[in-house]
């Protein structure tokens, strides 16, 4: 009897390993530097990781972090192949970054909107399903992902670049996966006063101090657009419990509570002991990505 049980357990383990290998063996192609828009003379491009199967495939616009100042599509060089090999197209994009004396709100949001519209407008050619589009981002990219998901079609932002080929398309998405994101810009500004008093990245991004004008901080905050009238997007909110860059209590946890109160489908993924800056690492047991991966796949299977 014991031998029979042991054999069944062994067989189950073998079957699980074979299934895991099958799930990771999907072929995909990579299209580097795929241009999706030109805004104010800046050419915007991204790297598309696309399953080789006929499709159409669900797709995710991936938005890198870096304090709205640094980074690029390479931030998703591991998540792109990981998800594409499991049937999800990933479009890891660039967007305009803030520089000394040059703010990029709402410009960066307009760039994200254009990327979503590009995927929808070119869906047939790219073998993606325009009805199954999501956004994913880390840190500053998490902020932009949540803001695009909640406010992409808001009159304040819609129609800014009418020369874009697909500017008339809605930017509504089915899912959003913000990872250690910023959702209340004023609270982050206050946090920056303590953490980096001479280098407020939020102030650089918005272009004005909250001492002088708080309104843009409200306009730039995803939290400001959480509403029961606009709760069709499903959220997976991810954060590390040891993050000292973005405060989890005033950001991710407060955002989670607001989404729940407004009737959104939302799932939390607190990653125990994780700091900031790990989404760019390999998707394996060497980083918190290994913990996130199965939960992310489950969420996508259910909601995208």
């Amino acid at each position: 009897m014991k031998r029979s049980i042991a054999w069944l357990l062994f067989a189950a383990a073998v079957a699980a390993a074979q299934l895991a290998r099958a799930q990771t063996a999907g072929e995909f192609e990579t299209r580097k530097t795929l241009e999706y828009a030109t805004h104010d003379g800046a050419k915007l491009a991204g790297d598309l990781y696309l399953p080789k199967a006929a499709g159409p495939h669900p797709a995710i616009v991936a938005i890198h972090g870096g304090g709205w100042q640094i980074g690029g599509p390479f931030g998703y060089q591991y998540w792109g192949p990981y998800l594409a090999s499991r049937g999800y197209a990933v479009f890891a994009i660039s967007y305009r970054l803030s520089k000394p004396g040059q703010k990029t709100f709402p410009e960066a949001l307009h760039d994200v909107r254009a990327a979503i519209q590009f995927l929808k407008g070119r869906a047939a050619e790219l073998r993606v399903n325009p009805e199954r589009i999501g956004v994913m981002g880390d840190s500053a990219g998490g902020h932009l992902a949540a803001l695009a998901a909640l406010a992409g079609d808001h009159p304040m932002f819609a129609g800014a670049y009418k020369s874009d080929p697909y500017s008339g398309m809605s930017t509504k998405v089915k899912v959003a996966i913000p990872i250690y994101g910023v959702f209340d810009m004023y609270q982050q500004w206050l946090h920056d006063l303590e953490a980096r008093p001479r280098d407020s990245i939020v102030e650089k991004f918005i272009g004005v101090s909250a001492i002088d004008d708080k309104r843009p901080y409200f306009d730039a905050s995803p939290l400001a657009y959480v509403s029961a009238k606009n709760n069709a997007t499903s959220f997976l909110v991810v954060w590390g419990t040891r993050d000292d860059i973005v405060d989890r209590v005033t950001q991710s946890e407060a955002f989670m509570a607001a989404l729940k109160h407004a009737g959104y489908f939302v799932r939390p993924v607190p990653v125990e002991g994780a700091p900031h800056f790990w989404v760019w690492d390999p998707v394996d047991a060497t980083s918190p990505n290994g913990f996130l991966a199965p939960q992310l796949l489950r969420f996508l299977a259910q909601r995208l």
Side-chain angles (χ1 to χ4, degrees):
M1 181 66 176
K2 289 181 179 179
R3 289 186 63 188
S4 298
I5 294 174
W7 170 251
L8 288 172
L9 291 172
F10 174 76
V14 170
Q18 290 174 337
L19 176 60
R21 281 195 294 271
Q23 289 174 334
T24 60
E27 293 187 347
F28 66 93
E29 60 182 282
T30 305
R31 303 186 189 180
K32 291 281 188 178
T33 321
L34 183 61
E35 191 171 324
Y36 70 86
T38 299
H39 287 169
D40 302 322
K43 291 189 176 182
L44 303 167
D47 296 339
L48 179 65
Y49 302 89
L50 186 64
K52 282 193 174 180
H57 306 286
I60 298 167
V61 175
I63 310 157
H64 69 84
W68 303 281
Q69 300 179 98
I70 61 171
F74 59 84
Y76 283 81
Q77 62 181 311
Y78 297 114
W79 275 111
Y82 181 88
L83 291 170
S85 68
R86 289 157 177 80
Y88 299 95
V90 175
F91 190 35
I93 65 166
S94 63
Y95 55 90
R96 283 172 289 179
L97 302 173
S98 60
K99 301 171 185 176
Q102 183 179 325
K103 59 100 175 176
T104 49
F105 174 76
E107 289 83 359
L109 176 62
H110 292 318
D111 299 345
V112 174
R113 293 184 69 256
I116 297 169
Q117 292 168 332
F118 173 82
L119 279 188
K120 291 185 176 184
R122 299 276 289 274
E125 175 193 340
L126 300 176
R127 306 197 310 278
V128 302
N129 187 335
E131 302 301 320
R132 300 178 67 192
I133 304 292
V135 287
M136 174 181 183
D138 60 291
S139 194
H143 160 262
L144 290 170
L147 190 58
L150 293 168
D153 285 343
H154 192 281
M156 186 182 302
F157 307 118
Y161 288 86
K162 291 184 170 59
S163 61
D164 286 351
Y166 311 107
S167 62
M169 294 193 131
S170 170
T171 59
K172 290 187 181 300
V173 293
K174 286 199 71 176
V175 302
I177 305 108
I179 305 170
Y180 45 77
V182 178
F183 310 105
D184 185 325
M185 298 295 270
Y186 179 66
Q187 287 296 327
Q188 186 63 32
W189 182 82
L190 292 175
H191 185 270
D192 283 354
L193 284 181
E194 299 294 329
R196 52 174 75 80
R198 294 181 179 85
D199 181 33
S200 174
I201 56 176
V202 174
E203 190 170 311
K204 289 179 182 178
F205 173 65
I206 292 177
V208 65
S209 170
I211 294 173
D212 297 322
D213 190 357
K214 291 184 178 64
R215 181 69 204 194
Y217 287 76
F218 178 85
D219 294 339
S221 295
L223 192 60
Y225 304 94
V226 174
S227 169
K229 298 178 181 179
N230 180 34
N231 64 4
T233 300
S234 298
F235 279 81
L236 188 74
V237 183
V238 186
W239 68 90
T241 62
R242 298 292 297 275
D243 191 336
D244 62 348
I245 304 296
V246 174
D247 177 57
R248 63 185 175 87
V249 176
T250 56
Q251 298 297 338
S252 293
E253 293 181 8
F255 186 57
M256 278 281 307
L259 291 171
K260 287 182 178 179
H261 293 158
Y264 289 77
F265 180 95
V266 55
R267 292 291 181 267
V269 183
V271 185
E272 189 64 36
H276 208 71
F277 302 125
W278 44 264
V279 166
W280 297 8
D281 294 338
V283 186
D284 58 29
T286 65
S287 86
N289 286 327
F291 175 80
L292 171 60
Q295 301 186 69
L296 173 57
L297 290 178
R298 189 179 308 116
F299 173 77
L300 293 176
Q302 292 174 346
R303 309 305 298 183
L304 182 61

